[in-house]
C-alpha cells in the first residue's frame, strides 16, 4: 500500500481517531478555523496582483535549500508558491514594511512550501 494511503493515529496528543493525513477531520477543521481565511490573514488583491506574480517572475524555480526538505542546493522544481521570506507577512507588517513588495518573497515548489508551512505556522498542517 502506498505511504499516503496508510491509516495512522491523529497527530494531536491523546486523540484516538485514525486518519490518512496528519490530523483527523475534526482537528483539521479546528486548525483551519484557528488559521483563518486568506483574507483574514492579509492576503488580498495586492497579494494576488503584485506580490505573487512579482515573486514568481523573480524565482521561476524553487530556491529552497533547506536540508530538512531533502536537498542542500536549490531545489530547482518549478515555483508555484510565493513565500514571504526571511520574515513572515505578520513580521513585515509589525515592522512597518510593505508585505506585498515582491522583494520580501521567494518562490517555492509545492512540496517545499508545504513543509515550510507545516513547520513554521502556528497550528500548522502536521502539528
Amino acid at each position: 500500500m502506498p505511504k499516503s494511503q496508510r491509516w495512522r493515529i491523529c497527530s494531536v496528543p491523546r486523540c484516538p481517531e485514525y486518519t490518512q493525513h496528519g490530523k483527523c477531520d475534526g482537528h483539521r477543521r479546528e486548525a483551519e478555523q484557528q488559521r483563518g481565511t486568506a483574507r483574514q490573514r492579509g492576503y488580498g488583491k495586492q497579494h494576488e496582483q503584485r506580490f505573487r506574480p512579482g515573486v514568481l517572475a523573480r524565482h521561476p524555480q524553487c530556491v529552497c535549500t533547506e536540508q530538512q526538505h531533502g536537498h542542500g542546493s536549490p531545489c530547482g522544481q518549478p515555483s508555484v508558491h510565493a513565500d514571504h521570506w526571511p520574515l513572515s507577512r505578520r513580521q513585515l507588517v509589525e515592522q512597518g514594511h510593505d508585505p506585498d513588495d515582491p522583494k520580501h518573497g521567494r518562490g517555492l515548489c509545492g512540496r517545499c512550501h508545504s513543509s515550510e508551512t507545516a513547520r513554521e505556522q502556528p497550528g500548522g498542517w502536521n502539528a
Side-chain angles (χ1 to χ4, degrees), residues 13-97:
R14 296 183 297 283
C15 179
E17 296 295 319
Y18 282 91
T19 180
Q20 290 180 323
H21 310 287
K23 294 179 181 175
C24 68
D25 291 341
H27 284 114
R28 186 178 293 234
R29 277 191 301 275
E30 285 178 21
E32 282 299 315
Q33 287 175 341
Q34 179 184 11
R35 192 168 179 238
T37 66
R39 294 279 188 237
Q40 290 169 332
R41 293 189 317 268
Y43 298 99
K45 191 171 274 193
Q46 286 294 312
H47 176 80
E48 294 169 10
Q49 295 178 350
R50 187 170 153 230
F51 180 74
R52 188 173 191 280
V55 170
L56 296 181
R58 276 188 28 233
H59 300 140
Q61 282 85 33
C62 181
V63 298
C64 178
T65 59
E66 304 291 328
Q67 289 290 335
Q68 62 265 31
H69 297 175
H71 46 79
S73 58
C75 173
Q77 295 294 315
S79 290
V80 293
H81 295 280
D83 182 53
H84 286 92
W85 185 86
L87 300 175
S88 70
R89 179 178 190 83
R90 184 175 296 126
Q91 291 168 321
L92 290 166
V93 170
E94 287 171 357
Q95 294 180 18
H97 299 291

Side-chain angles (χ1 to χ4, degrees), residues 110-124:
R111 180 176 175 213
C112 290
H113 185 261
S114 291
S115 295
E116 187 72 14
T117 300
R119 193 177 78 240
E120 297 295 327
Q121 292 292 320

